[in-house]
Each structure stands twice: as structure tokens, then as C-alpha cells.
Amino acid sequence: MATGMSALPRIADAASLRAGAAPSSAQPSSGPAAARLRAAWPALASRATGLWLPLALLALAEFAARAGWVVPHLFPPPSSLWATAAELLDHGLAGHVGASTARVAAGFATGAVLALALGAAVGLSPRIERLLDPTLQALRAIPSLAWVPLLLLWLGIDEAPKLTLIAIGAFFPVYMGVVSGFRDVDRKLVEVARMAGLGPLALVRRVLLPAALPSVWTGLRNGLGLAWMFMVAAELIAASRGVGYLLTDGRETGRADIVLTAIVLLALLGQASDGAMRWAGQRLLRWRDTYTGAA
């Protein structure tokens, strides 16, 4: 009797195979994969939403160029930029990208380290704030291009003025983020920490720094974005390599396709670096329970 009962599932599987269905033992293997796909689909669709606007703008630009609404020599269709990019790849585009990326990395690191140190000192000490902050705020109001003649006079036309200009651009957003982050910490948290017997160093490490970290990270992201902008200004001065040099070369040779390709490349590089910072920030600040917007 038991043997007959144990044969029933095998008979049922055979019947389902004859009917064109998969056996019951194969169903669980496809279930988890389908469930993961269904769970990931809303996130993928949400991320793809941001592509609609640039794709629509590209389609409009392509139509305007093909229809003759604009002068093709001054505004080539976006589809022709692929050929320009291939041409630039054959003439050392990777070297230009590498040179610009190295300048941004070095300048941003220098400016960010100085901004973190001075911003923490100003944010933690009212006395240092009274001493340094007025001067730094005055320097922040100086336009970026106003530094160019002075840097050329002091440092020449080599790498030093370019890196200094990029460091200046990255410094002030990071500095403002650090100062505002420390000054916006809830006073009640500090009072509770002092009542618990925390000393100055422990207070900074366990209370002030974690509470200020979101603002600090926002300042770092903004500083990195400005570092790319100041890199272009630096390479427009006197450079023989870099994406900014491609902008100058395209202007001097009258090739708008090179200029547009360089602009698109700058947008992609900036978006990639900001995406890396955003990804790192999400993991570094995953302990926060913040509002993410209405559905």
C-alpha cells in the first residue's frame, strides 16, 4: 500500500509532462529568479526614468539638424558625434581623459583635505571662526577666472597653476559643508553626551562627526563637481593635453563636433564620479532614516 502511495507523485508528474507542463520538482528553481526580477523591476524602472529627458533632447537636436533648422557646421546632428569620438580615439583621446582625470583627482584631494581641516577647526571653535571665517568668505566671493592671471604670474604655465585652481574650486564647497555640518548638530545631543561623561575627543568622534557627516558628504560631492568645472577653466589657459584642451582645439579649428564631443565627455565623466560618490555615501550613511520623497 505504501509503495502504491509513493508512486502517485511520479504518476502526477508524468501526466503533467504529457499535458505540456513542467514537473512539480522543477517549479521552485524558477520561482526565486522570477521573484528577484519582480522585486528589482521598480528600481530599474525608476532609474530609467532619468533617461527620458536627455533622449528626448537628443532626438529633438537630431531632427533640428536633419531638417535644416540649424546650420550643420555649427550644430552637427548628435548621431555624427560617434564618428568624431572614433576619430578622437585614434588620436589619443584616452590620454586626454587620463590627464584631466589625474588633475581633478590631485586638485580635489588637495582642496578637500585643507577644507576638512579648516572647516572642522572653524566649526568646533568659535575663536578660530572669528579669526579665519571672514577672510575665507571674502576669498570665496572671488570669481574663479580672477585667479588665473595671478596663478600664471606666480606659478607659470605648467601643472602647478592648474592643480591650484582646481584645489581652490574644490575647497569652498567642502569647507562650507563641514562648517554647517558641525554647527547644525542638535545641542541636546551635545548636552546628553557631556552628561554621560564624554571628553572633547570622544564627543567629536562619537557625536559631532557622525551627526555632521551628511553635510560633510554633500560638501564633498559639490566640491568634486566644481573640481571638474575648474579643471576645464584650468585647461583652457595653457594645456596641450586634456578634455579642456579639446574644447580649445575644436574652437580654433572651427570644428563644433569636437567641442560637442568634449562637452558630452565631460558630462559623462562628471556623472560617473558623482555616481560613485553617491553610491559610497549611501553605504556610509545607511544608518540614516530619512525622507525619500512621495511615491
Side-chain angles (χ1 to χ4, degrees):
M1 185 66 178
T3 305
M5 294 295 291
S6 62
L8 289 178
R10 292 196 296 271
I11 296 174
D13 284 345
S16 63
L17 282 173
R18 286 194 299 270
S24 59
S25 60
Q27 291 177 358
S29 62
S30 60
R36 287 194 297 268
L37 180 60
R38 287 193 298 269
W41 177 252
L44 294 175
S46 177
R47 293 178 181 178
T49 303
L51 296 175
W52 287 110
L53 180 58
L55 289 176
L57 293 177
L58 287 175
L60 179 61
E62 183 76 20
F63 178 79
R66 300 293 182 184
W69 294 356
V70 294
V71 181
H73 177 68
L74 297 179
F75 194 87
S79 59
S80 67
L81 299 184
W82 290 106
T84 304
E87 177 188 350
L88 292 175
L89 280 172
D90 294 335
H91 291 81
L93 178 61
H96 292 292
V97 173
S100 295
T101 304
R103 289 175 181 138
V104 169
F108 172 71
T110 303
V113 168
L114 291 174
L116 289 171
L118 291 178
V122 170
L124 294 173
S125 173
R127 183 178 302 175
I128 297 179
E129 180 185 16
R130 291 191 297 268
L131 176 64
L132 296 180
D133 193 62
T135 301
L136 293 176
Q137 294 299 335
L139 293 175
R140 187 171 69 93
I142 299 175
S144 61
L145 293 180
W147 292 102
V148 173
L150 188 61
L151 293 177
L152 290 176
L153 287 174
W154 285 354
L155 304 175
I157 60 173
D158 293 330
E159 288 297 306
K162 301 178 182 61
L163 298 180
T164 303
L165 187 61
I166 296 171
I168 291 173
F171 174 86
F172 290 104
V174 180
Y175 170 80
M176 295 299 296
V178 174
V179 173
S180 64
F182 279 113
R183 289 303 169 87
D184 290 342
V185 175
D186 193 344
R187 184 186 298 272
K188 298 182 180 64
L189 293 177
V190 178
E191 293 175 352
V192 170
R194 286 174 176 168
M195 291 175 59
L198 294 182
L201 293 179
L203 178 65
V204 172
R205 182 174 60 87
R206 300 179 61 180
V207 178
L208 294 178
L209 185 57
L213 193 56
S215 294
V216 173
W217 199 260
T218 300
L220 288 170
R221 285 184 62 185
N222 292 334
L224 182 58
L226 278 183
W228 282 104
M229 296 173 61
F230 275 64
M231 179 274 296
V232 174
E235 291 183 345
L236 288 176
I237 302 169
S240 58
R241 293 178 67 82
V243 182
Y245 166 76
L246 293 179
L247 293 172
T248 303
D249 184 63
R251 176 184 60 83
E252 293 178 349
T253 57
R255 293 194 55 180
D257 57 334
I258 293 181
V259 175
L260 289 174
T261 302
I263 291 174
V264 172
L265 185 58
L266 286 170
L268 294 176
L269 291 172
Q271 177 65 20
S273 61
D274 184 72
M277 289 288 289
R278 183 171 61 249
W279 177 85
Q282 288 173 351
R283 277 141 187 83
L284 184 64
L285 304 173
R286 60 182 179 272
W287 49 267
R288 294 191 303 164
D289 186 14
T290 57
Y291 176 68
T292 58

